[in-house]
Amino acid sequence: MKISQTYLADFVGLLFPQLCPACGASLMAGEEVICTDCRFTLPFTNFHLQPDNIVARQFWGKVELQGAYALYYFAKGGKVQNLMHHFKYKGMQEIGILLGNIAGEQLAKSDIFSSVDIIIPVPLHKKRLKERGYNQSTCFADGLAQRLTAVVDDGNLVRVKSTETQTHKSRFSRFENMQEVFAVSDPEKLNGKHVLLVDDVVTTGSTLEACSLQLLKVDGLKLSIATIAYAE
Ligand SMILES: [Zn+2]
């Protein structure tokens, strides 16, 4: 007897229902990636409605940003942490695309973010990229681009050296070194553009700051940042 693949998929689905990666509930028919409850109740920051939000404040006096945004608040042991875990370590790239779509819908309504021309993901360590097979920030960027009139430029901002050997250094010299970790390979492509720099989680902001300082060397470039989550 031949079993068709869709029949087999349905059967496997009955035995092992797909679970919401945020709350663990079984996904119902028609629910994709995350459940409807999580889709509406995960903790939105609504930073796109508050220009002087807590992430924007972290950059005051350091780098000039047009706007700073995070989709969710991140709490230890919370649903957003579960979601990020599946996204980064379980190969669920579709989470990044979905969250990019949700964030993009919010940003498309904002005067500041709707003028973004180019979306640039923070580059991943080569070693990590090899292990994981994808850069999670690029997935988020792709999802954002589907909802904004912007294109993703993955590869213009590059890591020129690894930060992994620096852990023994003092905090200050680590930060000094950090700035030299990133470089812009084709600055002319970014002249006069509004660039949205994206990363998965913002905590201290030191990686985003180091990338921003390199990007802002480009003539006439305006910069905003967006992340999936903000962790205090
Ligand atoms: Zn859920």
Side-chain angles (χ1 to χ4, degrees):
M1 190 178 83
K2 251 189 178 175
I3 302 173
S4 79
Q5 278 207 311
T6 46
Y7 176 80
L8 195 62
D10 283 349
F11 186 65
V12 170
L14 276 175
L15 289 179
F16 307 102
Q18 265 199 307
L19 303 180
C20 170
C23 72
S26 300
L27 292 185
M28 312 285 231
E31 287 180 339
E32 276 180 38
V33 190
I34 63 173
C35 75
T36 308
D37 191 41
C38 287
R39 176 77 174 74
F40 293 100
T41 62
L42 289 178
F44 289 121
T45 68
N46 287 314
F47 284 166
H48 58 300
L49 306 174
Q50 287 169 254
D52 62 346
N53 65 67
I54 193 159
V55 173
R57 282 163 188 259
Q58 284 188 354
F59 294 92
W60 283 2
K62 295 178 183 167
V63 285
E64 197 191 335
L65 296 177
Q66 307 299 310
Y69 168 88
L71 176 62
Y72 297 127
Y73 288 106
F74 179 102
K76 271 223 162 97
K79 291 177 185 172
V80 174
Q81 186 180 31
N82 296 339
L83 197 57
M84 296 306 282
H85 180 79
H86 282 82
F87 176 36
K88 288 171 75 170
Y89 306 111
K90 306 268 176 174
M92 292 186 69
Q93 297 179 59
E94 62 272 32
I95 293 175
I97 303 285
L98 174 75
L99 300 185
N101 287 171
I102 297 172
E105 279 160 27
Q106 294 189 346
L107 296 183
K109 291 181 213 148
S110 140
D111 288 342
I112 295 169
F113 292 96
S114 57
S115 69
V116 164
D117 303 298
I118 296 177
I119 305 173
I120 295 187
V122 168
L124 201 62
H125 297 270
K126 269 202 188 108
K127 205 177 127 199
R128 293 269 164 72
L129 190 61
K130 221 176 157 189
E131 284 165 4
R132 195 169 297 166
Y134 57 97
N135 177 357
Q136 70 276 5
S137 300
T138 305
C139 301
F140 183 55
D142 288 340
L144 281 165
Q146 291 171 1
R147 294 293 182 274
L148 296 167
T149 50
V151 292
V152 177
D153 184 353
D154 188 10
N156 204 337
L157 182 68
V158 290
R159 268 182 200 266
V160 284
K161 63 183 180 190
S162 170
T163 43
E164 301 203 346
T165 52
Q166 296 183 32
T167 41
H168 62 284
K169 291 186 179 157
S170 74
R171 219 185 133 171
F172 181 73
S173 66
R174 243 187 297 159
F175 176 73
E176 266 200 323
N177 280 320
M178 186 72 129
Q179 291 187 51
E180 295 153 23
V181 166
F182 301 98
V184 176
S185 61
D186 185 2
E188 279 184 19
K189 209 173 152 190
L190 306 176
N191 278 349
K193 301 288 187 192
H194 184 181
V195 169
L196 183 64
L197 175 67
V198 303
D199 203 358
D200 52 357
V201 182
V202 56
T203 45
T204 62
S206 59
T207 303
L208 286 166
E209 188 181 334
C211 292
S212 298
L213 290 170
Q214 295 302 322
L215 285 166
L216 286 168
K217 289 178 184 168
V218 175
D219 278 344
L221 185 145
K222 286 189 284 181
L223 187 67
S224 293
I225 61 168
T227 65
I228 297 173
Y230 163 65
E232 280 173 284

